């Protein structure tokens, strides 16, 4: 998506450890008219899919997912990073290794909000090694819901999480895929 690529080139900042900061428009301050355009684009891409629920993970996915959901007219459910696990059978649980915080989280989602009747679109801000997405996919599979695909704003293609998931037959659609990035150059996959 050209608009997104231009914005990344203009406002993105490459940090050590292969981290791209997009805090001025996506991850800290949120540019709502701009994110609306991302929402429209996801709706265009997934127009053929019978999506009735959007799933994301806290925290940075939530705001984006809510804006995207308005174009699908469906609810958003977000997986929570749990401090302690209360395994009373009411929750789906999985583990996710955080790329930015280098920590393993237990992630939970109430069984009330996802089940076999659901057709799910996963939305997230970044895809790097794919751990966050794999955790969410694991929850969708356990719930018996149908995974229609994953919509990612920025994929870091050089970390290969997206390619691994596509090889498994999962529909991963990223609005911008970065092939390489350094302090002074950033290239996108065509
Ligand atoms: P993965 O699990 O695919 O390795 O990483 C995805 C998660 O890590 C995303 O949900 C996002 O929050 C965070 N993340 C990964 N890479 C970046 C990055 O370069 N910049 C930012 N801001 N977040 C990232």
């Amino acid at each position: 998506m050209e608009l997104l690529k231009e914005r990344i080139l203009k406002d993105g900042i490459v940090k050590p450890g292969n981290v791209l900061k997009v805090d001025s428009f996506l991850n800290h301050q949120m540019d709502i008219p701009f994110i609306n355009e991302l929402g429209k684009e996801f709706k265009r891409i997934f127009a053929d899919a019978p999506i009735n629920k959007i799933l994301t993970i806290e925290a940075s996915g939530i705001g984006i997912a809510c804006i995207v959901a308005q174009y699908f007219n469906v609810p958003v459910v977000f997986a929570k990073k749990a401090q302690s696990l209360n395994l009373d059978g009411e929750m789906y649980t999985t583990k996710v290794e955080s790329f930015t915080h280098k920590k393993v989280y237990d992630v939970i989602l109430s069984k009330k909000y996802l089940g076999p009747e659901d057709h799910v679109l996963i939305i997230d801000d970044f895809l790097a090694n794919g751990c966050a997405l794999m955790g969410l996919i694991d929850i969708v599979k356990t719930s018996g819901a149908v995974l229609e695909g994953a919509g990612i704003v920025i994929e870091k293609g050089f970390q290969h999480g997206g390619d691994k998931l596509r090889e498994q037959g999962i529909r991963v659609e990223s609005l911008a895929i970065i092939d390489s990035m350094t302090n002074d150059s950033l290239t996108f996959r065509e």
Side-chain angles (χ1 to χ4, degrees):
M1 186 189 183
E2 284 311 313
L3 188 71
L4 173 61
K5 291 181 189 173
E6 283 164 18
R7 192 65 184 266
I8 293 169
L9 290 175
K10 182 168 153 276
D11 292 333
I13 298 168
V14 179
K15 293 281 183 185
N18 280 330
V19 172
L20 177 67
K21 282 266 178 197
V22 285
D23 281 5
S24 66
F25 63 96
L26 196 67
N27 280 151
H28 197 21
Q29 174 170 260
M30 296 177 71
D31 180 338
I32 303 303
F34 174 76
I35 300 169
N36 273 322
E37 296 304 315
L38 308 183
K40 283 181 207 165
E41 183 64 4
F42 282 128
K43 176 63 188 170
R44 189 187 65 75
I45 293 169
F46 287 101
D48 57 334
I51 291 155
N52 71 342
K53 198 159 282 185
I54 286 181
L55 171 66
T56 189
I57 183 165
E58 68 178 2
S60 53
I62 299 174
I64 300 163
C66 289
I67 293 177
V68 174
Q70 298 194 86
Y71 293 92
F72 289 84
N73 203 18
V74 300
V76 172
V77 60
F78 59 92
K80 298 186 177 196
K81 291 171 183 162
Q83 298 306 322
S84 62
L85 264 189
N86 174 12
L87 292 171
D88 57 7
E90 300 301 312
M91 297 279 180
Y92 304 115
T93 69
T94 193
K95 285 192 188 298
V96 168
E97 189 179 342
S98 160
F99 175 81
T100 35
H101 300 111
K102 307 275 177 263
K103 241 178 89 175
V104 177
Y105 292 94
D106 288 303
V107 169
I108 59 173
L109 187 81
S110 170
K111 289 186 177 173
K112 275 192 270 185
Y113 304 123
L114 198 67
E117 66 285 3
D118 288 318
H119 288 251
V120 178
L121 172 63
I122 297 174
I123 292 286
D124 207 359
D125 56 349
F126 274 91
L127 170 57
N129 298 317
C131 297
L133 198 47
M134 280 190 270
L136 292 175
I137 291 168
D138 185 44
I139 286 177
V140 173
K141 283 189 178 153
T142 310
S143 76
V146 177
L147 179 64
E148 296 291 342
I152 303 294
V153 180
I154 303 171
E155 176 176 340
K156 292 187 294 180
F158 57 89
Q159 288 175 302
H160 303 298
D163 292 331
K164 270 188 259 167
L165 289 162
R166 289 184 189 99
E167 277 164 22
Q168 292 170 28
I170 291 159
R171 182 174 181 195
V172 180
E173 302 276 7
S174 300
L175 301 185
I177 304 182
I178 298 173
D179 263 344
S180 71
M181 64 183 203
T182 62
N183 273 341
D184 41 30
S185 96
L186 201 151
T187 58
F188 295 101
R189 195 177 293 181
E190 285 311 320

PDB file of all heavy atoms in Angstrom, residues 18-20 27 60 99-100 124-132 156, ligand 1:
ATOM      1  N   ASN A  18      16.758  -4.331  15.117  1.00  0.00           N
ATOM      2  CA  ASN A  18      15.757  -4.540  14.069  1.00  0.00           C
ATOM      3  C   ASN A  18      14.350  -4.104  14.466  1.00  0.00           C
ATOM      4  O   ASN A  18      13.365  -4.729  14.082  1.00  0.00           O
ATOM      5  CB  ASN A  18      15.702  -6.011  13.645  1.00  0.00           C
ATOM      6  CG  ASN A  18      16.815  -6.353  12.688  1.00  0.00           C
ATOM      7  OD1 ASN A  18      17.260  -5.496  11.928  1.00  0.00           O
ATOM      8  ND2 ASN A  18      17.251  -7.595  12.720  1.00  0.00           N
ATOM      9  N   VAL A  19      14.270  -3.055  15.273  1.00  0.00           N
ATOM     10  CA  VAL A  19      12.958  -2.542  15.673  1.00  0.00           C
ATOM     11  C   VAL A  19      12.672  -1.267  14.882  1.00  0.00           C
ATOM     12  O   VAL A  19      13.506  -0.362  14.828  1.00  0.00           O
ATOM     13  CB  VAL A  19      12.911  -2.264  17.192  1.00  0.00           C
ATOM     14  CG1 VAL A  19      11.618  -1.547  17.573  1.00  0.00           C
ATOM     15  CG2 VAL A  19      13.030  -3.571  17.971  1.00  0.00           C
ATOM     16  N   LEU A  20      11.489  -1.232  14.270  1.00  0.00           N
ATOM     17  CA  LEU A  20      11.044  -0.023  13.579  1.00  0.00           C
ATOM     18  C   LEU A  20      10.046   0.687  14.480  1.00  0.00           C
ATOM     19  O   LEU A  20       9.054   0.099  14.906  1.00  0.00           O
ATOM     20  CB  LEU A  20      10.372  -0.404  12.254  1.00  0.00           C
ATOM     21  CG  LEU A  20       9.775   0.756  11.449  1.00  0.00           C
ATOM     22  CD1 LEU A  20      10.872   1.675  10.925  1.00  0.00           C
ATOM     23  CD2 LEU A  20       8.923   0.234  10.304  1.00  0.00           C
ATOM     24  N   ASN A  27       1.707   3.509  16.774  1.00  0.00           N
ATOM     25  CA  ASN A  27       1.911   2.760  18.023  1.00  0.00           C
ATOM     26  C   ASN A  27       1.866   3.572  19.316  1.00  0.00           C
ATOM     27  O   ASN A  27       1.945   2.997  20.393  1.00  0.00           O
ATOM     28  CB  ASN A  27       3.263   2.039  17.988  1.00  0.00           C
ATOM     29  CG  ASN A  27       3.217   0.752  17.196  1.00  0.00           C
ATOM     30  OD1 ASN A  27       4.202   0.338  16.628  1.00  0.00           O
ATOM     31  ND2 ASN A  27       2.054   0.119  17.151  1.00  0.00           N
ATOM     32  N   SER A  60      -0.940  -3.051  21.508  1.00  0.00           N
ATOM     33  CA  SER A  60      -0.932  -2.145  20.362  1.00  0.00           C
ATOM     34  C   SER A  60      -1.863  -2.574  19.236  1.00  0.00           C
ATOM     35  O   SER A  60      -2.221  -1.752  18.399  1.00  0.00           O
ATOM     36  CB  SER A  60       0.486  -1.963  19.834  1.00  0.00           C
ATOM     37  OG  SER A  60       1.065  -3.208  19.571  1.00  0.00           O
ATOM     38  N   PHE A  99       8.648 -10.220  20.797  1.00  0.00           N
ATOM     39  CA  PHE A  99       9.838  -9.795  20.060  1.00  0.00           C
ATOM     40  C   PHE A  99      10.439  -8.547  20.677  1.00  0.00           C
ATOM     41  O   PHE A  99      11.655  -8.442  20.847  1.00  0.00           O
ATOM     42  CB  PHE A  99       9.466  -9.506  18.597  1.00  0.00           C
ATOM     43  CG  PHE A  99      10.612  -8.947  17.816  1.00  0.00           C
ATOM     44  CD1 PHE A  99      11.588  -9.789  17.312  1.00  0.00           C
ATOM     45  CD2 PHE A  99      10.750  -7.578  17.620  1.00  0.00           C
ATOM     46  CE1 PHE A  99      12.668  -9.276  16.615  1.00  0.00           C
ATOM     47  CE2 PHE A  99      11.822  -7.059  16.927  1.00  0.00           C
ATOM     48  CZ  PHE A  99      12.784  -7.908  16.423  1.00  0.00           C
ATOM     49  N   THR A 100       9.578  -7.591  21.052  1.00  0.00           N
ATOM     50  CA  THR A 100      10.101  -6.305  21.539  1.00  0.00           C
ATOM     51  C   THR A 100      10.553  -6.378  23.003  1.00  0.00           C
ATOM     52  O   THR A 100      11.455  -5.666  23.402  1.00  0.00           O
ATOM     53  CB  THR A 100       9.066  -5.174  21.348  1.00  0.00           C
ATOM     54  OG1 THR A 100       7.767  -5.707  21.549  1.00  0.00           O
ATOM     55  CG2 THR A 100       9.153  -4.588  19.964  1.00  0.00           C
ATOM     56  N   ASP A 124      -3.017  -7.363  13.320  1.00  0.00           N
ATOM     57  CA  ASP A 124      -1.949  -6.904  14.219  1.00  0.00           C
ATOM     58  C   ASP A 124      -1.123  -5.829  13.526  1.00  0.00           C
ATOM     59  O   ASP A 124      -1.173  -5.687  12.312  1.00  0.00           O
ATOM     60  CB  ASP A 124      -1.068  -8.076  14.681  1.00  0.00           C
ATOM     61  CG  ASP A 124      -0.424  -7.809  16.057  1.00  0.00           C
ATOM     62  OD1 ASP A 124      -0.636  -6.728  16.641  1.00  0.00           O
ATOM     63  OD2 ASP A 124       0.300  -8.702  16.553  1.00  0.00           O
ATOM     64  N   ASP A 125      -0.377  -5.102  14.350  1.00  0.00           N
ATOM     65  CA  ASP A 125       0.416  -3.987  13.810  1.00  0.00           C
ATOM     66  C   ASP A 125       1.656  -4.485  13.066  1.00  0.00           C
ATOM     67  O   ASP A 125       1.932  -4.084  11.946  1.00  0.00           O
ATOM     68  CB  ASP A 125       0.791  -2.992  14.913  1.00  0.00           C
ATOM     69  CG  ASP A 125       1.539  -3.610  16.093  1.00  0.00           C
ATOM     70  OD1 ASP A 125       1.614  -4.861  16.207  1.00  0.00           O
ATOM     71  OD2 ASP A 125       2.074  -2.837  16.921  1.00  0.00           O
ATOM     72  N   PHE A 126       2.415  -5.400  13.713  1.00  0.00           N
ATOM     73  CA  PHE A 126       3.672  -5.884  13.143  1.00  0.00           C
ATOM     74  C   PHE A 126       3.680  -7.400  13.059  1.00  0.00           C
ATOM     75  O   PHE A 126       3.094  -8.089  13.890  1.00  0.00           O
ATOM     76  CB  PHE A 126       4.858  -5.466  14.037  1.00  0.00           C
ATOM     77  CG  PHE A 126       5.392  -4.096  13.735  1.00  0.00           C
ATOM     78  CD1 PHE A 126       4.894  -2.986  14.394  1.00  0.00           C
ATOM     79  CD2 PHE A 126       6.398  -3.918  12.802  1.00  0.00           C
ATOM     80  CE1 PHE A 126       5.390  -1.719  14.111  1.00  0.00           C
ATOM     81  CE2 PHE A 126       6.904  -2.661  12.516  1.00  0.00           C
ATOM     82  CZ  PHE A 126       6.401  -1.556  13.180  1.00  0.00           C
ATOM     83  N   LEU A 127       4.404  -7.902  12.073  1.00  0.00           N
ATOM     84  CA  LEU A 127       4.719  -9.335  12.001  1.00  0.00           C
ATOM     85  C   LEU A 127       6.230  -9.433  11.817  1.00  0.00           C
ATOM     86  O   LEU A 127       6.779  -8.888  10.857  1.00  0.00           O
ATOM     87  CB  LEU A 127       3.966  -9.966  10.832  1.00  0.00           C
ATOM     88  CG  LEU A 127       4.321 -11.397  10.423  1.00  0.00           C
ATOM     89  CD1 LEU A 127       4.158 -12.362  11.582  1.00  0.00           C
ATOM     90  CD2 LEU A 127       3.426 -11.847   9.266  1.00  0.00           C
ATOM     91  N   ALA A 128       6.882 -10.092  12.765  1.00  0.00           N
ATOM     92  CA  ALA A 128       8.343 -10.231  12.693  1.00  0.00           C
ATOM     93  C   ALA A 128       8.672 -11.715  12.592  1.00  0.00           C
ATOM     94  O   ALA A 128       8.637 -12.306  11.509  1.00  0.00           O
ATOM     95  CB  ALA A 128       8.979  -9.563  13.910  1.00  0.00           C
ATOM     96  N   ASN A 129       8.936 -12.355  13.729  1.00  0.00           N
ATOM     97  CA  ASN A 129       9.215 -13.796  13.695  1.00  0.00           C
ATOM     98  C   ASN A 129       7.942 -14.643  13.635  1.00  0.00           C
ATOM     99  O   ASN A 129       8.007 -15.837  13.362  1.00  0.00           O
ATOM    100  CB  ASN A 129      10.030 -14.200  14.923  1.00  0.00           C
ATOM    101  CG  ASN A 129      11.373 -13.508  14.943  1.00  0.00           C
ATOM    102  OD1 ASN A 129      12.037 -13.412  13.917  1.00  0.00           O
ATOM    103  ND2 ASN A 129      11.770 -12.988  16.102  1.00  0.00           N
ATOM    104  N   GLY A 130       6.841 -14.014  13.938  1.00  0.00           N
ATOM    105  CA  GLY A 130       5.555 -14.711  13.809  1.00  0.00           C
ATOM    106  C   GLY A 130       5.022 -15.302  15.109  1.00  0.00           C
ATOM    107  O   GLY A 130       3.980 -15.955  15.093  1.00  0.00           O
ATOM    108  N   CYS A 131       5.702 -15.046  16.229  1.00  0.00           N
ATOM    109  CA  CYS A 131       5.254 -15.674  17.488  1.00  0.00           C
ATOM    110  C   CYS A 131       3.871 -15.192  17.916  1.00  0.00           C
ATOM    111  O   CYS A 131       3.032 -16.005  18.323  1.00  0.00           O
ATOM    112  CB  CYS A 131       6.239 -15.384  18.616  1.00  0.00           C
ATOM    113  SG  CYS A 131       7.832 -16.086  18.307  1.00  0.00           S
ATOM    114  N   ALA A 132       3.646 -13.892  17.829  1.00  0.00           N
ATOM    115  CA  ALA A 132       2.347 -13.358  18.256  1.00  0.00           C
ATOM    116  C   ALA A 132       1.239 -13.976  17.388  1.00  0.00           C
ATOM    117  O   ALA A 132       0.221 -14.455  17.900  1.00  0.00           O
ATOM    118  CB  ALA A 132       2.333 -11.837  18.127  1.00  0.00           C
ATOM    119  N   LYS A 156       7.932  -7.421   8.721  1.00  0.00           N
ATOM    120  CA  LYS A 156       9.374  -7.357   8.491  1.00  0.00           C
ATOM    121  C   LYS A 156       9.760  -8.675   7.820  1.00  0.00           C
ATOM    122  O   LYS A 156       9.972  -9.694   8.470  1.00  0.00           O
ATOM    123  CB  LYS A 156      10.100  -7.116   9.812  1.00  0.00           C
ATOM    124  CG  LYS A 156       9.795  -5.694  10.362  1.00  0.00           C
ATOM    125  CD  LYS A 156      10.618  -5.340  11.571  1.00  0.00           C
ATOM    126  CE  LYS A 156      10.238  -6.228  12.718  1.00  0.00           C
ATOM    127  NZ  LYS A 156      11.009  -5.943  13.945  1.00  0.00           N
TER     128      LYS A 156
HETATM  129  P1  LIG B   1       6.594 -11.477  16.280  1.00  0.00           P
HETATM  130  O1  LIG B   1       5.818 -12.190  17.341  1.00  0.00           O
HETATM  131  O2  LIG B   1       6.025 -11.645  14.904  1.00  0.00           O
HETATM  132  O3  LIG B   1       8.060 -11.745  16.358  1.00  0.00           O
HETATM  133  O4  LIG B   1       6.457  -9.931  16.635  1.00  0.00           O
HETATM  134  C1  LIG B   1       5.217  -9.293  16.513  1.00  0.00           C
HETATM  135  C2  LIG B   1       4.907  -8.420  17.681  1.00  0.00           C
HETATM  136  O5  LIG B   1       6.068  -7.759  18.184  1.00  0.00           O
HETATM  137  C3  LIG B   1       3.944  -7.344  17.239  1.00  0.00           C
HETATM  138  O6  LIG B   1       2.701  -7.571  17.861  1.00  0.00           O
HETATM  139  C4  LIG B   1       4.558  -6.028  17.682  1.00  0.00           C
HETATM  140  O7  LIG B   1       3.862  -5.542  18.793  1.00  0.00           O
HETATM  141  C5  LIG B   1       5.968  -6.366  18.089  1.00  0.00           C
HETATM  142  N1  LIG B   1       6.994  -5.955  17.094  1.00  0.00           N
HETATM  143  C6  LIG B   1       7.789  -6.776  16.364  1.00  0.00           C
HETATM  144  N2  LIG B   1       8.649  -6.083  15.623  1.00  0.00           N
HETATM  145  C7  LIG B   1       8.390  -4.783  15.859  1.00  0.00           C
HETATM  146  C8  LIG B   1       8.983  -3.571  15.354  1.00  0.00           C
HETATM  147  O8  LIG B   1       9.934  -3.525  14.552  1.00  0.00           O
HETATM  148  N3  LIG B   1       8.441  -2.413  15.826  1.00  0.00           N
HETATM  149  C9  LIG B   1       7.415  -2.387  16.705  1.00  0.00           C
HETATM  150  N4  LIG B   1       6.955  -1.190  17.079  1.00  0.00           N
HETATM  151  N5  LIG B   1       6.847  -3.507  17.205  1.00  0.00           N
HETATM  152  C10 LIG B   1       7.334  -4.698  16.785  1.00  0.00           C
END
